[in-house]
Amino acid sequence: KGSAPILNHDERVAMVRSCKFVDQVIEQVPYIMDEHYVSYILNDLRIDFVVHGDDECLVNGQDVYKTAKQAQKFCTVPRTPGISTTDILGRMLLIVHYQLEKKKDKDTLNISHSMLNFIPPRFFLTSRLQCAFAQEKRLAPKSNETVVYIAGAFDLFHPGHIELLKQAKRYGDYLLVGLFSDDSLVRLGRKPISNAHERLLNLLGCSLVDDVLLDAPIDGLDEHAIDLFCIDFILSPPQQHEEAIKLPQDAYAIAKRRGLHQCLSFQSTLSILDIAKRIYIQYDTLVLRYNEKRLKEGAYYAAATEREKKKEDN
């Protein structure tokens, strides 16, 4: 596709496996599916359809899904407006570009969270989309289940977050995740790359998460909230994890007094800053890729608008 992926193979597998909409992950899939591979997935894996977005997927002018289409086993789904990996990559490229403009020595890059404060998230959430992501989430824990609570930003959802949630889920049966608002994170000096709506959908789409508390209080849950949600454990991330955000006061004071607090202890695997540094290494290549993808997305939406206009005229 013109550049190496930002996340390595194991990291991408971990992300896909954590998605609640995924039943099984098949690894080492060829990007261009030839006749032999299509026959294998249809017959041996008993797959009914190959699905992709309704935008073209070409490599060197070759349709990636040509063989599946010829077998009449190909379906398309419409793109979701506002959700785009190209857009997210653009935000990260802006961070790196901003830092490169400030530094004369481009051999090293020192990225910190203070440099993330100028990126404007542009995604908007509708109730229909939120309901689609919230499907199959349990309404409430059962009376005999252990309820676990952990709060954070969960910005630019990545494998480091997946590992954190896996560790948290080990403490009980029902995982309630508190999500800090954009305004709260700004007050803490951590303006997010993804806005609260994007971060909410990421959590709702994760199979490890049972429910999400929106606009979670940065000073911790009070007595009423703890009792209301029947919480048995309130967890804090490891000190080295990016979710170990410096809060204005001891957010776990009540939890500690009630004997509910536990601090997780494990080696953090990945952070936003690590991802930004990987983008820096491929910066020039990724800028070219971003510009190419942006043009394709623009053409796609222009064509979609034209089709809708023709429908209205008819």
Side-chain angles (χ1 to χ4, degrees):
K1 296 180 70 175
S3 63
I6 305 302
L7 300 182
N8 64 36
H9 176 78
D10 291 340
E11 291 166 344
R12 288 181 284 123
V13 168
M15 291 301 296
V16 177
R17 280 188 176 148
S18 73
C19 178
K20 73 173 186 180
F21 302 108
V22 174
D23 297 300
Q24 183 180 358
V25 178
I26 307 300
E27 300 183 42
Q28 308 299 339
V29 175
Y31 195 72
I32 299 178
M33 297 184 177
D34 58 19
E35 185 176 346
H36 174 74
Y37 188 78
V38 170
S39 175
Y40 162 68
I41 62 173
L42 294 178
N43 299 317
D44 293 23
L45 300 182
R46 301 176 64 187
I47 288 175
D48 297 301
F49 292 101
V50 177
V51 181
H52 191 265
D54 57 357
D55 52 325
E56 281 191 318
C57 191
L58 305 175
V59 175
N60 298 325
Q62 182 178 353
D63 187 342
V64 169
Y65 298 103
K66 178 181 177 181
T67 305
K69 291 176 180 178
Q70 290 175 338
Q72 297 185 336
K73 295 292 183 178
F74 181 78
C75 293
T76 61
V77 292
R79 293 179 63 115
T80 304
I83 296 181
S84 165
T85 52
T86 302
D87 178 62
I88 294 174
L89 175 61
R91 299 180 206 176
M92 297 299 291
L93 285 170
L94 275 175
I95 293 170
V96 176
H97 173 77
Y98 175 76
Q99 186 61 4
L100 288 175
E101 288 291 308
K102 290 177 61 178
K103 290 179 68 67
K104 292 182 180 179
D105 178 12
K106 298 186 179 182
D107 292 331
T108 60
L109 187 67
N110 240 343
I111 296 176
S112 68
H113 279 285
S114 64
M115 299 165 195
L116 308 183
N117 288 347
F118 67 99
I119 302 299
R122 298 182 296 173
F123 174 72
F124 298 96
L125 179 65
T126 65
S127 58
R128 177 187 60 80
L129 189 58
Q130 182 173 337
C131 287
F133 273 75
Q135 283 181 359
E136 300 179 10
K137 291 294 184 189
R138 291 186 287 165
L139 296 179
K142 298 176 183 178
S143 59
N144 63 340
E145 289 184 317
T146 300
V147 179
V148 181
Y149 176 80
I150 188 168
F154 297 96
D155 191 19
L156 201 67
F157 203 59
H158 57 69
H161 294 127
I162 298 299
E163 185 59 32
L164 178 67
L165 295 174
K166 281 182 179 179
Q167 296 292 333
K169 195 66 179 271
R170 291 178 179 178
Y171 276 79
D173 311 294
Y174 191 97
L175 181 58
L176 173 64
V177 177
L179 185 66
F180 296 145
S181 69
D182 295 339
D183 289 341
S184 292
L185 290 171
V186 169
R187 290 200 298 273
L188 296 172
R190 288 279 297 270
K191 183 175 181 179
I193 297 171
S194 301
N195 67 29
H197 295 155
E198 292 171 302
R199 294 183 286 118
L200 169 63
L201 293 190
N202 283 329
L203 288 170
L204 288 177
C206 179
S207 60
L208 296 162
V209 177
D210 294 295
D211 202 359
V212 180
L213 175 62
L214 295 173
D215 199 10
I218 58 176
D219 53 354
L221 297 182
D222 59 20
E223 302 271 5
H224 172 71
I226 292 172
D227 293 336
L228 177 65
F229 297 117
C230 304
I231 294 173
D232 299 290
F233 289 103
I234 295 180
L235 308 180
S236 57
Q239 286 302 312
Q240 78 277 12
H241 198 282
E242 70 178 5
E243 288 301 334
I245 300 170
K246 187 175 181 181
L247 301 174
Q249 56 183 336
D250 188 357
Y252 303 101
I254 295 176
K256 289 175 181 177
R257 177 165 53 80
R258 294 181 57 165
L260 305 179
H261 176 258
Q262 294 288 334
C263 182
L264 293 175
S265 178
F266 67 94
Q267 186 63 41
S268 183
T269 54
L270 189 70
S271 71
I272 292 177
L273 305 185
D274 294 327
I275 294 172
K277 289 172 183 176
R278 293 181 187 183
I279 289 174
Y280 165 71
I281 292 172
Q282 297 189 70
Y283 179 76
D284 293 336
T285 301
L286 289 173
V287 167
L288 293 174
R289 176 180 167 187
Y290 170 79
N291 290 332
E292 179 184 335
K293 290 284 187 180
R294 251 324 191 204
L295 288 173
K296 288 183 178 179
E297 283 191 7
Y300 167 84
Y301 285 116
T305 302
E306 186 63 27
R307 287 195 298 270
E308 289 299 319
K309 185 177 179 182
K310 288 182 179 179
K311 287 181 182 179
E312 292 176 359
D313 292 340
N314 293 335

